Amino acid sequence: AGHHFDFFTTTLSISPLKNAQKINEIGEALAEEYGVPHLPSDFKKQEGYKRSIQLSADYNLYRQDFCGCVFSKKEREAKAHGEA
């Protein structure tokens, strides 16, 4: 079922560990495949990562401290328990 979105994008480009150019290339390919325009982004520009940390602190927002994959989560848990 279509949701009729005007655009799609991602916040992944905020991470200093992510390649915004590659992310945007994938977004453009998906835009062609699904017929929904992609809004390219690189949220690292203009100290975007630093600003995101400050805004999160200002608004008491949760910041996930692992990438989301099971391996990263296990590594974070091991460090929290002094195992790494």
Side-chain angles (χ1 to χ4, degrees), residues 40-52:
S41 62
D42 185 350
F43 291 113
K44 287 185 290 292
K45 289 183 177 182
Q46 299 176 340
E47 296 192 334
Y49 182 72
K50 183 178 175 182
R51 179 86 173 117
S52 74

Side-chain angles (χ1 to χ4, degrees), residues 3 6 11 21 27 41 46 51 80 84:
H3 295 284
D6 295 326
T11 58
Q21 181 179 347
S41 62
Q46 299 176 340
R51 179 86 173 117

Side-chain angles (χ1 to χ4, degrees), residues 2 4 8-9 11-12 35 41 44 51 56-58 63 72 74-75:
H4 309 288
F8 74 94
T9 193
T11 58
L12 287 174
S41 62
K44 287 185 290 292
R51 179 86 173 117
S56 295
D58 291 350
R63 287 185 71 91
S72 176
K74 285 181 179 181
E75 180 181 335

Side-chain angles (χ1 to χ4, degrees), residues 15-33:
S15 171
L17 305 176
K18 302 287 187 283
N19 181 330
Q21 181 179 347
K22 188 65 177 171
I23 290 169
N24 286 322
E25 287 173 9
I26 293 167
E28 292 301 313
L30 291 170
E32 281 198 33
E33 184 175 341

Side-chain angles (χ1 to χ4, degrees), residues 1-5 34 36:
H3 295 284
H4 309 288
F5 295 112
Y34 292 99
V36 178

